[in-house]
Amino acid sequence: MNRHVRRTFYLFALGFVALVGVLAYWQVYASESLANDPENSLQTRRAIEAPRGFIFAGDGETVLAQSEEQPAEGGQNPTYSRIYPQGPLYAGIVGYWSTRYGATGIEIAENANLSGTADPATLDELINQMSGGPQPGNNIVLTLDHELQQIATEAIENSNTGRGSLMALDPQTGEILALASVPSYDPNNIDENFPSLLEDPDEPLLNRATQGLYSPGSVFKVVTAAAALKSGVEPSDRFVDSGVYEQPGYTVVNYDDGVYGAVNFAQALALSINTIFAEVAVEEIETGTITETSQDFGYGDEFEDFPLLVNPSRIGEGNVAQIAFGQDTNVSNVFEMALVAAAIGNDGAMMEPRLVREIRSPDGVIINRSQPSERNQVLEPEVANTLQDMMVGVIEEGTATVAQRPGVEIAGKTGTAEVPPNDPNSWFIASAPADEPEIAVAAMIENGGDGEEQGLPVAMAVIDAYLETGQEPETEDFPELGPDGLPEDLPEGLPQELPEDLPQVQPGGLPESIPEGLPPEIQEFFNQNQ
């Protein structure tokens, strides 16, 4: 008898433990996936009966997503639909929320907050949750600069192919300032257009900035250069380029078959010499150092804490001579290469990339505010600063002199990534001001051609706007000119009348006589032009 009682007891105990385990699984471990599942009809019904939270740009005012109340039907509670005032501009970031096709982007990454299913953070939320009434979602403030996002998108749209991506961030904080992917789509019409968007050969649903993978071309040379500096190569080390570098079964040549002769390593980066970077990778850099350095920069990392899906960049198992200048099995995207430029400019420290700045309750209380945090120290500061100086050389005397800006030193690198049989992808990465960067940018135009022709102007449009380096001088404060071409009012401290003994000027613009003692060549020029 006791044996049967014990068996019954054990059965009940086992069943109780199993019941607790199942409840714990669904209530704790799987609760978020259930809440985010569009096929959960009960959860979906609850979601559409409460307004989801707003999503704002970095200014906290520009609305990127909001809920709109729909009229109640048949005595039911009113429902809410999602609208996106900025349309395609932020679609790759904000994503969409659909009862038919699920959710993407920030809409799914922050669904617990936006839908009001997160743990209550204020007394009002707690009372609302206990009463069982509809709970408005929390609001999300992103880090994005609305003006820069517009400028980046328009610059890509106006490129020669109209397809590409850009990421800009603050190297010192990791805050993402712009994240553009073109072509895009209108999330307001996702339910009607989703099937056709899937079949579109331009892949508008793909966030090219984080999910696309492309040969990075010569912008990857900064990673190879970092590995070389770590291996003891100096910027002043001399190499001789003959235009070719022979490898078993493959011959490396320079872009446009260029031949540069004797140059140092800094000049090899400035002039983007493939053969020298292949030689350095094979003969000067310790085995595995390029792979290790690329991983330190983020290659192979899915950035799981980042709210958007990131396809990890990868080196692959190709020819190291080609990998060294961003070809063969080497693939990346602007998300990764912008982080590379930012880390180099930030004394070798890579900050965690941040897209969400604040979470606010429906009544405006800040529930959570993200703080800058260092992801890892990629390079020693001395190595990073040396590499940054080499990248300044690219702008000052190399392939990107058109990126020079008065009064602002810029560090950058062009890239022309060959993707036969199509035209090359056009890349440019940069940070500015070079001595203490406030912005780092990577831009890529698919099949755009030379890096300096398409990727560079797209990236520089964003840098110019952020640092105000490309603006024309304001003329509002300039003095009005009189009929004689002179200012009506001269600044204080200058003589208000011209002296009477100024030399008379001839019709050709030269004075009738010039002072004695001028250099002979000037005197001769004057005599010839009298």
Side-chain angles (χ1 to χ4, degrees):
M1 183 68 179
N2 288 339
R3 184 186 306 166
H4 291 297
V5 171
R6 280 199 301 273
R7 286 179 180 173
T8 303
F9 171 77
Y10 290 148
L11 265 172
F12 274 105
L14 183 61
F16 179 76
V17 171
L19 178 62
V20 170
V22 169
L23 287 173
Y25 174 82
W26 291 112
Q27 292 291 328
V28 179
Y29 180 77
S31 62
E32 184 171 353
S33 62
L34 280 175
N36 294 341
D37 189 347
E39 295 184 6
N40 183 343
S41 58
L42 177 60
Q43 187 64 37
T44 299
R45 186 66 197 175
R46 287 176 177 171
I48 64 175
E49 289 182 352
R52 289 171 68 78
F54 286 81
I55 301 176
F56 295 102
D59 56 14
E61 297 178 357
T62 303
V63 178
L64 311 184
Q66 66 187 79
S67 290
E68 188 175 73
E69 185 175 344
Q70 303 298 315
E73 296 181 2
Q76 295 184 343
N77 294 330
T79 60
Y80 295 85
S81 63
R82 203 66 166 153
I83 61 172
Y84 302 91
Q86 303 300 326
L89 186 61
Y90 290 91
I93 305 160
V94 171
Y96 58 79
W97 189 87
S98 165
T99 57
R100 184 181 301 176
Y101 297 112
T104 60
I106 296 296
E107 288 279 31
I108 189 64
E110 293 292 340
N111 185 55
N113 279 301
L114 291 167
S115 64
T117 58
D119 293 336
T122 66
L123 181 60
D124 287 344
E125 289 181 15
L126 178 62
I127 293 171
N128 232 356
Q129 194 173 86
M130 292 179 66
S131 67
Q135 300 169 49
N138 294 323
N139 302 325
I140 306 296
V141 180
L142 304 182
T143 59
L144 298 168
D145 184 306
H146 183 55
E147 180 187 4
L148 294 190
Q149 184 73 9
Q150 289 177 309
I151 290 171
T153 301
E154 290 172 5
I156 297 171
E157 290 173 343
N158 293 331
S159 67
N160 60 351
T161 66
R163 301 190 317 275
S165 55
L166 176 145
M167 183 166 113
L169 74 156
D170 183 334
Q172 299 176 41
T173 67
E175 284 200 346
I176 295 177
L177 305 170
L179 192 67
S181 176
V182 179
S184 186
Y185 66 95
D186 189 348
N188 291 297
N189 306 318
I190 195 68
D191 285 347
E192 296 82 5
N193 296 336
F194 189 78
S196 61
L197 291 171
L198 281 178
E199 298 174 1
D200 191 327
D202 283 336
E203 299 182 285
L205 291 173
L206 176 73
N207 186 333
R208 286 163 158 78
T210 61
Q211 295 173 265
L213 289 175
Y214 311 87
S215 295
S218 292
V219 293
F220 187 80
K221 285 175 181 170
V222 300
V223 179
T224 303
L229 294 173
K230 287 165 57 178
S231 297
V233 177
E234 297 290 339
S236 58
D237 287 353
R238 306 288 292 180
F239 299 88
V240 178
D241 167 52
S242 64
V244 297
Y245 181 73
E246 297 288 349
Q247 279 279 283
Y250 184 80
T251 300
V252 177
V253 297
N254 294 317
Y255 185 66
D256 277 346
D257 297 321
V259 180
Y260 297 90
V263 295
N264 62 35
F265 188 49
Q267 291 171 322
L269 181 70
L271 299 172
S272 203
I273 305 175
N274 292 345
T275 56
I276 291 179
F277 270 81
E279 177 184 346
V280 168
V282 174
E283 301 181 21
E284 304 289 339
I285 298 177
E286 298 171 10
T287 303
T289 304
I290 292 179
T291 298
E292 175 189 304
T293 303
S294 70
Q295 291 171 344
D296 289 342
F297 274 115
Y299 261 64
D301 199 329
E302 295 182 356
F303 291 85
E304 293 180 354
D305 294 333
F306 192 70
L308 303 183
L309 177 65
V310 175
N311 269 351
S313 303
R314 59 178 183 267
I315 289 287
E317 300 295 330
N319 186 319
V320 68
Q322 293 174 270
I323 286 172
F325 55 91
Q327 296 285 173
D328 201 28
T329 54
N330 189 340
V331 290
S332 189
N333 48 43
V334 298
F335 177 86
E336 167 63 25
M337 295 313 301
L339 292 177
V340 169
I344 294 170
N346 194 37
D347 295 330
M350 178 179 287
M351 306 301 290
E352 285 285 355
R354 293 189 295 140
L355 190 55
V356 175
R357 178 179 293 158
E358 291 177 353
I359 299 170
R360 299 177 181 175
S361 69
D363 54 1
V365 176
I366 297 176
I367 298 170
N368 183 278
R369 176 180 288 156
S370 65
Q371 298 297 326
S373 63
E374 184 177 308
R375 186 176 183 85
N376 66 314
Q377 185 73 36
V378 180
L379 301 172
E380 293 297 324
E382 182 179 355
V383 173
N385 293 336
T386 298
L387 182 52
Q388 184 79 341
D389 289 341
M390 292 172 65
M391 292 173 69
V392 170
V394 175
I395 309 297
E396 296 299 324
E397 56 185 13
T399 59
T401 55
V402 293
Q404 294 177 13
R405 296 295 187 268
V408 179
E409 198 171 54
I410 295 170
K413 182 69 190 79
T414 55
T416 305
E418 297 183 14
V419 284
N422 301 314
D423 290 335
N425 293 331
S426 178
W427 284 83
F428 186 65
I429 63 173
S431 64
D435 59 341
E436 192 171 349
E438 300 171 23
I439 185 172
V441 180
M444 190 278 300
I445 301 300
E446 293 179 16
N447 310 125
D450 291 352
E452 64 268 28
E453 293 180 1
Q454 298 298 322
L456 187 152
V458 169
M460 290 307 301
V462 172
I463 291 176
D464 286 339
Y466 193 71
L467 299 180
E468 299 183 351
T469 57
Q471 294 182 353
E472 293 295 326
E474 296 185 7
T475 58
E476 295 178 353
D477 298 331
F478 283 20
E480 294 291 333
L481 299 182
D484 56 359
L486 295 174
E488 293 182 351
D489 297 305
L490 293 175
E492 293 183 6
L494 293 179
Q496 298 300 304
E497 295 181 2
L498 294 175
E500 297 179 357
D501 57 350
L502 284 178
Q504 295 298 310
V505 177
Q506 301 178 93
L510 291 173
E512 293 181 350
S513 61
I514 59 173
E516 297 180 359
L518 291 178
E521 59 270 18
I522 296 179
Q523 183 69 53
E524 181 180 355
F525 174 81
F526 175 77
N527 294 335
Q528 291 174 352
N529 289 275
Q530 277 281 48

